[in-house]
Amino acid sequence: MNKTWIVTSETYLRQTKSWSFLLLVLMPFLFIGMTFGISYVATPNKSKSDLAVVSTDVGLRTSFIKQSGVATTKKYASVKAAQKATNRSDINGYVVLKATNQQVSATFNGPNEIDSGDQAKIQRFLATAQTQLNVQRAKLSTTQQQALAVQPKFKQQLQKKTASDKAAKTISFYILVFFVYLILTTYSSITAQEIAAEKGTKIMEVVFSSTTPRKYFNGKVYGVLLMIVTQLLVYLLGGALVVQFAQHSRITAGLWQQYASVIGKVLHNLLSINLLFALAAVLLYTVVSAFCGALVTRVEDAGKASQPVIYLNLLTFVMAMAFQGSPSSGVVTVFSYIPFFSSYLMPLRLINATATMPEAIISMVILLATVIGSMWYIGKIYGGLMLQTDELGFWGNLKRGLSLK
């Protein structure tokens, strides 16, 4: 076991120190950082997006600033000062409020059309202020004023399957499927090429003289597994920081509040047993990739070693995309229990509530049993595979490899 962990640590440290691994881990955060940076630069500064409010009626101006909900500034109280600030682009414009002839009016002055949201808020304020003025003019009794103050009610009775549920399911599926596909493709290539490159050298004879092929093979798999766990931990910690930033950033705080329920459902779908399916799938594909890497006989063929696994991953990916709209299909149900396919199709069923947790556990047990069985079998024949140097072609090497004991 000690020699196994020596191989594990050596594989882990060598791969994690490489620039390719660092770029693989940091690329999503670099992309998010660039997106936030560009959005921050493109979004106007708050002080420059404010409107000035000008009115000879101090009470009307004060009420507008406090009640309208429009982002305003108190710095410019006269038309002349507000116009100069607009010309300097310190503000987006100014609103002139008037209450003449028993009518409330507002006039916006600025270089560009006012934001539709602010326009709606101004119109609501004007309607409220005009209603109050009309009531005062009419000299209504208290009972009549109370009768006019009655407001209509609006209620929503949401059904079980709402639009937000559908959106959350769709987003969860795409994030999970593309994440699993990219991770599987990346680590399959890394594992297969590393094993194939080692086989093309004489070092394996020296290695097997000091440790068993099974221990060496297990150490390689454990090293790659630690890389995957490291990447997932970085994504989880980084994702938590991104969530905190998004909740408090002026760029995204509004969107976060608007779609909080959808985001919560997406996070629930991702941070569940679906994540375990992704991890188990990567481990299974890694084991099979190591087997494919051991089948090639020349260093020049190292790049081709991962192609069978990549094609298999592509097949399962395409199948998941094809049945996205039919999670209750009999084909999806059957293949959700078959290793290689279950990592895509069982999460699809869970996200759409067409599978129960006991069914998911059964599928997970089958997947883990396949991983353990594959590691045991390939570890058993690994020595013969790595020392095999005859050029029989891929299928010939595969047939011979499976016949080893």
Side-chain angles (χ1 to χ4, degrees):
M1 181 60 70
N2 184 42
K3 293 181 179 180
T4 299
W5 288 116
I6 291 175
V7 178
T8 300
S9 61
E10 190 274 336
T11 302
Y12 174 75
L13 293 175
R14 187 179 69 257
Q15 291 292 344
T16 52
K17 289 180 180 179
S18 65
W19 282 106
S20 59
F21 179 78
L22 292 176
L23 289 176
L24 175 66
V25 173
L26 297 178
M27 188 59 68
F29 300 106
L30 293 175
F31 176 77
I32 293 174
M34 290 178 61
T35 302
F36 274 112
I38 295 173
S39 300
Y40 183 84
V41 173
T43 302
N45 185 276
K46 187 179 185 302
S47 63
K48 294 187 178 183
S49 64
D50 289 348
L51 300 177
V53 183
V54 180
S55 179
T56 55
D57 189 332
V58 178
L60 183 62
R61 179 176 184 268
T62 303
S63 298
F64 182 90
I65 293 173
K66 291 182 178 180
Q67 301 173 12
S68 67
V70 178
T72 58
T73 176
K74 298 180 180 180
K75 291 176 61 177
Y76 313 103
S78 66
V79 173
K80 186 176 181 180
Q83 183 62 56
K84 288 182 178 179
T86 302
N87 294 338
R88 295 193 304 267
S89 298
D90 291 341
I91 56 176
N92 277 347
Y94 58 95
V95 177
V96 179
L97 296 177
K98 294 181 180 180
T100 58
N101 298 325
Q102 303 299 323
Q103 186 178 36
V104 181
S105 64
T107 303
F108 171 75
N109 295 270
N112 300 309
E113 185 177 349
I114 191 172
D115 180 81
S116 59
D118 287 342
Q119 183 177 344
K121 293 176 182 178
I122 293 174
Q123 290 175 339
R124 284 197 298 268
F125 172 81
L126 293 176
T128 302
Q130 187 66 54
T131 300
Q132 294 174 351
L133 187 59
N134 293 341
V135 169
Q136 292 176 2
R137 285 185 60 197
K139 297 180 180 180
L140 302 176
S141 64
T142 303
T143 302
Q144 290 173 325
Q145 292 181 20
Q146 290 175 348
L148 289 175
V150 176
Q151 298 292 327
K153 290 184 178 180
F154 173 73
K155 294 182 179 180
Q156 294 188 80
Q157 292 183 345
L158 301 179
Q159 298 179 358
K160 184 176 180 181
K161 294 184 177 181
T162 62
S164 62
D165 290 331
K166 185 177 181 179
K169 291 175 182 178
T170 302
I171 295 172
S172 302
F173 170 77
Y174 278 111
I175 291 177
L176 189 65
V177 165
F178 279 99
F179 173 78
V180 172
Y181 176 76
L182 292 175
I183 293 295
L184 290 182
T185 302
T186 301
Y187 283 99
S188 297
S189 300
I190 291 174
T191 305
Q193 291 182 26
E194 180 171 342
I195 298 296
E198 288 181 346
K199 183 177 179 180
T201 66
K202 298 295 184 180
I203 193 174
M204 298 312 302
E205 297 179 4
V206 178
V207 171
F208 290 157
S209 66
S210 59
T211 186
T212 63
R214 183 188 299 277
K215 290 182 179 181
Y216 186 80
F217 172 75
N218 290 342
K220 285 288 185 181
V221 174
Y222 295 155
V224 175
L225 178 61
L226 284 180
M227 291 172 59
I228 299 167
V229 172
T230 300
Q231 185 172 357
L232 288 178
L233 289 176
V234 172
Y235 284 168
L236 290 175
L237 294 175
L241 294 176
V242 171
V243 167
Q244 291 297 319
F245 179 80
Q247 288 178 324
H248 299 93
S249 171
R250 68 180 176 87
I251 303 173
T252 56
L255 288 174
W256 183 275
Q257 293 178 358
Q258 183 178 357
Y259 298 105
S261 60
V262 176
I263 296 173
K265 293 173 184 177
V266 170
L267 293 177
H268 177 267
N269 288 333
L270 296 179
L271 303 178
S272 60
I273 192 173
N274 293 329
L275 191 61
L276 297 180
F277 270 102
L279 188 61
V282 176
L283 185 57
L284 177 59
Y285 275 80
T286 299
V287 173
V288 178
S289 298
F291 174 70
C292 292
L295 290 177
V296 301
T297 56
R298 298 180 302 174
V299 179
E300 293 80 6
D301 296 333
K304 303 177 182 178
S306 61
Q307 289 183 358
V309 183
I310 292 176
Y311 290 149
L312 177 59
N313 184 33
L314 180 60
L315 173 63
T316 55
F317 172 79
V318 171
M319 186 174 180
M321 296 297 292
F323 284 95
Q324 175 202 352
S326 306
S328 58
S329 168
V331 175
V332 175
T333 302
V334 172
F335 277 83
S336 65
Y337 294 99
I338 299 176
F340 297 105
F341 295 90
S342 60
S343 55
Y344 286 97
L345 299 182
M346 183 53 74
L348 172 62
R349 295 182 61 199
L350 290 172
I351 290 173
N352 289 277
T354 60
T356 62
M357 186 54 65
E359 292 176 324
I361 293 175
I362 293 174
S363 179
M364 175 62 71
V365 170
I366 295 174
L367 180 57
L368 292 177
T370 303
V371 172
I372 295 172
S374 300
M375 289 185 64
W376 176 84
Y377 178 75
I378 296 175
K380 180 180 178 181
I381 64 175
Y382 190 70
L385 289 173
M386 294 300 289
L387 297 178
Q388 174 184 317
T389 57
D390 297 338
E391 181 56 59
L392 303 176
F394 178 82
W395 296 110
N397 290 336
L398 175 62
K399 182 178 179 181
R400 180 173 178 178
L402 293 175
S403 65
L404 294 173
K405 297 182 179 179

